[in-house]
Amino acid sequence: MYKTEQHQVSEAARRNTHLDADGYERLYRQSIEQPDTFWAEQANRFVEWMQPWSKVQESNMARGEAAWFIDGKLNVSANCIDRHLAKRGDQTAIIWEGDDPGQDRRISYRELHEQVCRLANVLKARGVKKGDRVCLYMPMIPEAAFAMLACARIGAVHSVVFGGFSPDALRDRILNADCRVVITADEGVRGGKNVALKKNVEKALNDCPDVHTVVTVKRTGADIAWHEHRDVWYHEACAAVSADCEPEPMDSEDPLFILYTSGSTGKPKGVLHTTGGYLLSAALTHHYVFDYHDGEVYWCTADVGWVTGHSYIVYGPLCNGATTLMFEGVPTYPDASRCWQVIDKHQVNVFYTAPTAIRALMALGNEPVKSSSRASLRLLGSVGEPINPEAWEWYYHVVGDSRCPVVDTWWQTETGSIMIAPLPGATNLKPGSATRPFFGVEPALFDNDGNEVHGVGDGNLVIKRSWPSQIRTVYGDHQRLIDTYFSTYKGVYFTGDGARRDEDGYYWITGRVDDVLNISGHRIGTAEVESALVLHDAVAEAAVVGCPHDIKGQAIYAYVMPMRGVTPSDELLVELKAYVSEQVGAFARPDFIQWTPGLPKTRSGKIMRRILRKIACDELDTLGDTSTLADPAVVEELIEHRLNRA
Ligand code: WTA
């Protein structure tokens, strides 16, 4: 079932890597057998502390509690900027590549320092204090990174909301975290199109009376609404304040950011990360998994609105004094060779992207890739969803010219940093496997009855011990943290993913085992799409499942029962899809909507999602038992009118 052919670590890849196979084994063993020694050494090497910690860590996995580097004090922005100034003040910290190939910008560590200090002073002048939450709703421009670091500098907690979210989704997140300040841009630019960010903020703020300040970056100069007392221009405000701002000494366990993510039930959860442990894990994984060497150009294509952008565009790379590339656009604009052109233009050494992008580009053929040199490339990374072996092989052979190792990195918003991944030069690769655990990570598999699966086998993936960048709480609702992650199996963290372990101890992530969809690497709860659908007047009931999609990984398949008296029509269908985009965001728009007079339910009224999934996936021969249904005839009807047929 799985390819077992291994790609041996090539001599070229092995040369100059931080670790070889023995080095990995030795450090991994130390991280498990003498964790305090291991983590103390790493924390001293990768992070600069204002005050040393008194204890490495303390955790209670049953209660979802963890504390790392207790009593230690540090500032994340000082680690990402100030401490590099003496040695690399003139080195480029951020390369910005605009949506338009003719636009780019290089920001040195010294300029980064000035920009971040100025914005930090603007925030202070608007009354933002340590512990206050600040919402960022930004396009992929350097100011997004400045804003994150400015918050960190003064101890404010940022909550970045992906620019693709709708005004309603933005409003919910602003209210949940009680943000009083929003930082945004007049518009974003992606793939030649403008995105009306400030306009969305206006709509969201109709229901957020406590927001007293909106700082707006002028990106396109579009006409926007303006409220004299609330609105300030980023460039004007920054010009009016000092270019120096002392970094606030933060406790290692003080919050750094909140990032909302979808679960299987209810509203999105505000995942809270803290300061010391998070920063160390981001930096350590960036160093080892990407085998980052001084002076290299590193490019992660994620959006700063997702955790990958937090840890691997901003915090990990900058903490390591790297040059990190930030791309405003999309891989197919102006054409399908864009990524490879950017790699040649900026001499990118490490390229980190998502399987959905790889598959989309693969579908467009080899020609756009081969029109570039890519000679600077040394390493390729993948994140966000399982990478199918076919896409892996294309990435390795065509993009990487069979020369660059592919690191398939498994992790989550909640884990804060990479948990399972090969280390270049140390781990033999198997296409489609995230391979072995990172230092300090102790994964295990559990069956549905709560028994641990040992050796080769399948199961639900859990993490058995605390790690530094572990989620600390669900903002405002610690019980929800315990219920979601620490209750399925007592005393361990439950990931929500299924996995298989092979004879070499390699992990193969099989995907979510809960009702979370992964659409183009974006996490969406089926419940979120369902609640959006039933908000519409024409909808009585809705059930949403995922089905396989060649490019996006998964597609959204919705079964919709119209209200009595409503006649299903194609117009209504279009309207419903648009309605979900409006409620949640365009990426949550259903691919299929099937009208149905009813939903298959058990006699106790529970929707039989297993059956709906099978019908959506056109897997009728494995439909299973339908005899427990209240009304088995519904299934016949659903099958007859199913939309996704081979
Ligand atoms: C999935 C993104 C297989 C997984 C960093 C996880 C992956 C969810 C991989 C987290 C991978 C992420 N192989 N599946 N390499 N990486 N996933 O929170 O289902 O946006 O639970 O974090 O993405 O998504 P999130």
Side-chain angles (χ1 to χ4, degrees), residues 308 384-386 408-413 497 509 512 518 523:
T308 308
E385 46 175 324
D408 175 4
T409 63
W410 175 85
W411 60 295
Q412 310 177 298
T413 305
D497 279 318
I509 310 298
R512 301 291 303 195
N518 193 322
R523 256 168 88 166

Side-chain angles (χ1 to χ4, degrees), residues 73-74 124 127-133 151-157 248-251 254-255:
K73 294 218 185 294
L74 72 160
K124 275 187 175 173
V128 178
K129 289 188 293 298
K130 180 172 173 172
D132 290 352
R133 278 80 51 215
C151 289
R153 196 159 190 92
I154 62 172
V157 181
E248 184 77 28
M250 301 298 287
D251 191 275
D254 277 336

